[in-house]
Amino acid sequence: MAVEVKLPRLGQGMEAGTIVRWLKSEGEAVSKGEPLYELDTDKVTQEVEAEADGVLLKIVLPEGEADVGTTVAILGSEGEDVSELIAGAQGGNGGAPAAAADEAASEPAKSRAEEPRSGSEPQGSLAAPARRPGERVKASPLARRIARERGIDLAALTGTGPDGRIIAEDVEQGVAAPAPAAAPAAVPAGEVEIVELTSVRKTIARRLTEAWQAPVFQLTVTANAVELVATRERMVELLREGEVKPTVNDVLTRVVASALVRHRPVNATFVDGKLQRYPGANVGIAVAAPSGLIVPVIRDADRKSVQRIAADRADLVSRARDGKLQLADLEGGTFTISNLGMYGIEQFIAVLNPPQVAILAVGSIEDRPHAIDGKLEIAPTLTLTLTCDHRAIDGSEGAEFLRTVKQFVESPALAL
Amino acid sequence: MPELTYREAVRDALARALREDDGVFLMGEDIAEMGGSMAVTQGLLEEFGPQRIRNTPISEMAIVGSGIGAALQGMRPVVEIMYEDFLTLSMEQLVNQAAKHRTMSGGQLKVPLTVRTQGGAGWSPGAQHAQQLEAWFVHVPGLKVVFASTPEDVRGLLWSSIYDDNPVVFFEHRTLYPIKGEVPEELEPIPLGKARVHREGTDVTVVATGRLVHESLAAAEQAEADGISVEVVDPRTLLPLDEETIVESVKKTTRCVTAHEAVTRGGFGAELAAVIQHGAFDYLDAPIERVGSKFAPLPFAPVMEQHVVPHAADVLEAIKKTVARA
């Protein structure tokens, strides 16, 4: 039976290698242990031996770089039809489209092998994951567990085990791979602060890296905040003893919540590959806690008074700063607001908070030139930037939501 | 510590039990004057006399059957079946009688019988005198099954088997009789159901029984030279099985090879593989490899025999498969 010759991992940390030249030609018989090709790694160049007896039926990768586990040749018995294997190797290695694979499968292997090699062979893309779309991912139970625990997508990995199986080391390598450590700059000892990542920091890193993969787009509006500020001031005036003083952000949370329940495509999360759109708004508010960014959730914000939201917010923020939040305080959010206005940031782009599909970045409220009724006036304005996950939301849906938010900011009474 | 051969260790356990307890006696074919076909019982007739070291007719059914009768009457008989191939002739007594009385009588009866036997290839005994049939008995509730691989283990386990109140089928391996090993001055009973970790390692666990324990230890040495760290575990008692030790070992190493001389198909390695895949599923990084004899009646010709039964090289190959890259 024909076997695929795969690029081996010759040492810890080896991710890829470059085939310098083949020591056997197609059609030549090889025995197990005989040098087959020369492989250049970042450390050494060495001869790689055949792992089985047979005839070298096909050299898939004549020369060039490929990832560990990539099929570089097919070994089998003379005259054996390996067209499917070749198609699989080429298609699976990420190159040939399905049509080409079909074509290859329908041709006898021999004639194909005898064809002069055209320049269109997918050498450059051989490094892609060795799997066809929709093909089952082969992974050991241990590899699956590690991937599950660390939230790693197995489909993105290349397996170096038998038959391309992903084994534990591939997952470990796969995690380590995206962060090729740049050589540390030469700094005198004692001046560099080494910060071990806390588990919170690691979670932030993992979730935000994950979020960064999403195809997102941003929409920005600038709103006149006169009414918003006035409303908040009036509320503070009417404050009863013992009540928490509402902030502009509390009022904003309330009006955004109202906008969310009117625009459910934005008030949604991904669950098991499906979208769940919610009738009520649980609004997460990004808080800078000592341990790092954390997003406690104000539940049913669309049905709470601003006063109640302020009370909830004060409780959550103080507990966040004391590190006393419960898991329940952080779960169930349907949307997130991130406000950096208090730092004077005029506008910014927030990164998605998965599985939510949108997040609102709120800038500072400041007196700025603003056109009102055709005249240039000075008015307090704020800039709102909505980040949308395009897998869930189209531009028009995001725009409609943001238009409503702007209306509510400019006339908070409309949010009732 | 004194050094004994495996054969002497078996004899020592028998002699000590005979001295300790009048209820212990031996029965078997040619075990008295001749000292047994494997010379295990040599000298016992002289010390303990013909009442307690008894020759029997050539009838395995009668040997085990009368052993059961004596055990039911409160004795602790140790009967010898010359070759484990001949256990087939005593199956009715072992499977339908010895294994069942205790539960069928609601615990009113017990059968403290030990059935010693030996087998194994490596000396051209042919197809009918060297099989490894231990897996058959692991399938029978009511029996205990022991397979010892070292002088120390065989002595301590035989003692525990004699003093166990259940019928125990006790396997010895023909080619292990001459091996030597240190044993404690005082006989220390080894509890049934406790595995032994012969060698610690981090990359792959080899669970081996009988002769293959030694082959596996040799393979582990060779693997070490290739940078593969191998743990070797001998269950020693196949029934009851020390699942915890085995599963924990595989959880640590994430890979496993089972090895015995019995044919692979339906062998004890299959049971081990089932226990391990269930207990350590999320820890396995490679399929469990099984090493055993090829599925063929054992050939007489030495070169053919060597071809059929497994050796250290087969274990080493399986070890490498479990840690293989593409």
Side-chain angles (χ1 to χ4, degrees):
Chain A
M1 205 186 86
V3 291
E4 294 171 59
V5 179
K6 302 204 172 186
L7 200 79
R9 175 168 286 142
L10 300 173
Q12 287 278 348
M14 173 178 163
E15 294 300 318
T18 303
I19 292 181
V20 183
R21 67 191 177 99
W22 283 84
L23 305 169
K24 297 279 176 186
S25 5
E26 285 183 4
E28 205 174 331
V30 297
S31 16
K32 186 175 173 178
E34 257 190 296
L36 205 53
Y37 57 93
E38 274 179 21
L39 184 64
D40 198 12
T41 70
D42 51 4
K43 294 195 180 68
V44 290
T45 300
Q46 74 176 72
E47 291 179 349
V48 178
E49 297 171 352
E51 302 232 328
D53 296 334
V55 172
L56 184 55
L57 295 174
K58 171 75 181 172
I59 292 174
V60 181
L61 179 64
E63 60 182 51
E65 187 173 359
D67 280 6
V68 168
T70 305
T71 300
V72 297
I74 313 277
L75 212 54
S77 38
E78 194 153 11
E80 192 174 351
D81 182 357
V82 292
S83 49
E84 271 186 42
L85 268 182
I86 294 170
Q90 293 176 336
N93 284 343
D102 287 345
E103 184 191 328
S106 65
E107 274 187 67
K110 203 145 187 288
S111 72
R112 188 173 165 82
E114 280 167 4
E115 273 173 26
R117 184 163 297 109
S118 73
S120 65
E121 292 220 8
Q123 294 178 18
S125 52
L126 279 167
R131 210 165 292 114
R132 274 164 286 201
E135 189 180 336
R136 181 182 146 72
V137 175
K138 287 185 206 139
S140 77
L142 178 60
R144 285 187 188 279
R145 180 167 66 92
I146 296 172
R148 189 168 63 235
E149 285 170 0
R150 303 191 190 168
I152 296 158
D153 182 10
L154 283 172
L157 299 178
T158 301
T160 63
D163 294 328
R165 182 188 302 128
I166 296 168
I167 57 178
E169 194 179 323
D170 299 326
V171 183
E172 309 272 3
Q173 300 278 352
V175 181
V187 175
E191 290 185 18
V192 180
E193 186 191 3
I194 306 294
V195 181
E196 295 289 339
L197 290 190
T198 60
S199 63
V200 170
R201 206 67 237 168
K202 283 179 187 163
T203 304
I204 292 170
R206 179 174 58 74
R207 285 175 53 85
L208 291 186
T209 305
E210 189 185 316
W212 200 249
Q213 315 292 324
V216 292
F217 63 89
Q218 282 86 19
L219 303 170
T220 302
V221 291
T222 296
N224 185 329
V226 172
E227 290 292 324
L228 190 72
V229 171
T231 302
R232 184 245 170 191
E233 280 169 2
R234 184 88 181 113
M235 284 173 169
V236 171
E237 279 169 26
L238 297 174
L239 207 62
R240 278 180 302 204
E241 198 165 322
E243 285 183 334
V244 176
K245 197 189 279 185
T247 62
V248 169
N249 202 59
D250 293 332
V251 185
L252 196 64
T253 301
R254 178 62 178 80
V255 303
V256 167
S258 286
L260 284 169
V261 296
R262 286 166 170 79
H263 298 274
R264 289 197 192 175
V266 181
N267 193 38
T269 60
F270 274 112
V271 178
D272 296 333
K274 292 177 186 153
L275 278 171
Q276 287 192 356
R277 292 176 171 169
Y278 301 97
N282 295 338
V283 179
I285 46 172
V287 175
S291 58
L293 173 70
I294 201 156
V295 186
V297 174
I298 295 174
R299 266 155 235 290
D300 302 321
D302 58 309
R303 286 184 275 145
K304 282 181 176 159
S305 64
V306 172
Q307 183 51 56
R308 178 71 197 281
I309 287 171
D312 285 3
R313 182 262 309 153
D315 170 53
L316 289 169
V317 168
S318 80
R319 283 196 290 128
R321 302 221 157 116
D322 295 344
K324 289 186 178 154
L325 286 178
Q326 311 277 313
L327 196 58
D329 296 321
L330 306 171
E331 289 176 339
T334 61
F335 185 81
T336 297
I337 296 177
S338 178
N339 190 339
L340 292 178
M342 60 288 256
Y343 298 102
I345 300 298
E346 298 187 350
Q347 70 171 82
F348 68 101
I349 289 168
V351 181
L352 279 181
N353 181 19
Q356 296 167 20
V357 300
I359 183 168
L360 189 68
V362 181
S364 60
I365 297 179
E366 284 171 46
D367 283 345
R368 298 184 179 93
H370 194 63
I372 297 174
D373 298 333
K375 282 189 287 187
L376 187 64
E377 296 193 10
I378 300 296
T381 62
L382 89 166
T383 299
L384 302 165
T385 303
L386 181 71
T387 299
C388 298
D389 186 335
H390 212 331
R391 293 173 300 179
I393 303 170
D394 286 336
S396 61
E397 290 166 329
E400 282 169 13
F401 166 73
L402 209 49
R403 182 170 62 187
T404 303
V405 172
K406 179 179 156 115
Q407 280 172 355
F408 288 178
V409 166
E410 295 186 342
S411 311
L414 293 178
L416 294 178
Chain B
M1 278 203 288
E3 201 178 53
L4 293 183
T5 64
Y6 184 93
R7 176 185 284 113
E8 288 163 349
V10 175
R11 188 186 299 141
D12 192 47
L14 292 171
R16 287 178 191 243
L18 283 158
R19 277 178 215 128
E20 164 104 5
D21 187 340
D22 287 343
V24 175
F25 70 101
L26 313 189
M27 283 196 293
E29 294 162 7
D30 287 333
I31 65 162
E33 291 82 358
M34 186 187 154
S37 67
M38 296 298 153
V40 170
T41 52
Q42 261 177 12
L44 296 181
L45 176 67
E46 287 71 21
E47 182 176 351
F48 300 102
Q51 285 290 319
R52 300 181 70 194
I53 311 296
R54 304 176 72 97
N55 279 335
T56 64
I58 303 176
S59 169
E60 281 73 18
M61 181 128 146
I63 295 168
V64 175
S66 53
I68 293 170
L72 288 169
Q73 293 300 318
M75 308 286 278
R76 292 196 177 275
V78 182
V79 303
E80 178 178 307
I81 301 296
M82 191 184 283
Y83 288 85
E84 64 185 86
D85 311 73
F86 310 158
L87 277 174
T88 54
L89 294 155
S90 61
M91 283 306 251
E92 147 62 20
Q93 290 300 312
L94 272 172
V95 175
N96 290 332
Q97 309 304 328
K100 305 295 193 280
H101 287 323
R102 191 166 187 177
T103 39
M104 285 180 71
S105 69
Q108 296 178 76
L109 301 174
K110 53 189 183 186
V111 187
L113 168 71
T114 303
V115 180
R116 279 184 52 242
T117 190
Q118 63 81 31
W123 53 296
S124 274
Q128 299 160 318
H129 292 77
Q131 294 172 78
Q132 297 274 273
L133 300 178
E134 66 277 1
W136 290 19
F137 301 91
V138 174
H139 191 63
V140 181
L143 296 180
K144 292 191 177 181
V145 180
V146 177
F147 195 176
S149 64
T150 70
E152 180 188 354
D153 286 353
V154 84
R155 193 173 71 151
L157 287 164
L158 182 52
W159 178 275
S160 296
S161 299
I162 293 170
Y163 285 97
D164 195 284
D165 281 344
N166 299 286
V168 178
V169 187
F170 193 92
F171 289 92
E172 295 158 21
H173 196 284
R174 168 70 176 80
T175 66
L176 294 182
Y177 282 130
I179 68 161
K180 286 184 179 169
E182 288 191 342
V183 296
E185 191 77 49
E186 282 308 305
L187 191 151
E188 287 170 16
I190 296 171
L192 303 187
K194 192 84 195 81
R196 173 172 176 181
V197 179
H198 273 276
R199 186 184 201 281
E200 295 199 356
T202 55
D203 293 333
V204 50
T205 298
V206 179
V207 187
T209 60
R211 179 177 67 85
L212 265 288
V213 172
H214 303 276
E215 300 293 319
S216 299
L217 286 167
E221 288 295 320
Q222 293 164 33
E224 182 97 55
D226 288 336
I228 304 168
S229 165
V230 180
E231 181 145 316
V232 178
V233 180
D234 178 1
R236 305 194 290 193
T237 308
L238 311 191
L239 182 66
L241 179 65
D242 184 356
E243 298 187 2
E244 189 185 344
T245 297
I246 294 165
V247 166
E248 285 308 313
S249 172
V250 177
K251 279 186 178 176
K252 179 180 75 173
T253 62
T254 73
R255 304 174 187 94
C256 183
V257 172
T258 68
H260 49 56
E261 187 179 303
V263 292
T264 307
R265 180 170 306 180
F268 187 65
E271 175 66 17
L272 285 169
V275 165
I276 291 161
Q277 73 82 15
H278 193 269
F281 183 78
D282 279 329
Y283 295 81
L284 283 172
D285 204 22
I288 298 166
E289 292 293 330
R290 289 192 287 161
V291 173
S293 282
K294 294 182 172 64
F295 198 63
L298 195 71
F300 174 80
V303 65
M304 289 288 286
E305 183 194 52
Q306 291 304 299
H307 175 68
V308 167
V309 301
H311 306 281
D314 300 287
V315 180
L316 183 61
E317 193 181 328
I319 287 169
K320 288 188 171 172
K321 250 188 197 173
T322 65
V323 297
R325 302 265 176 273

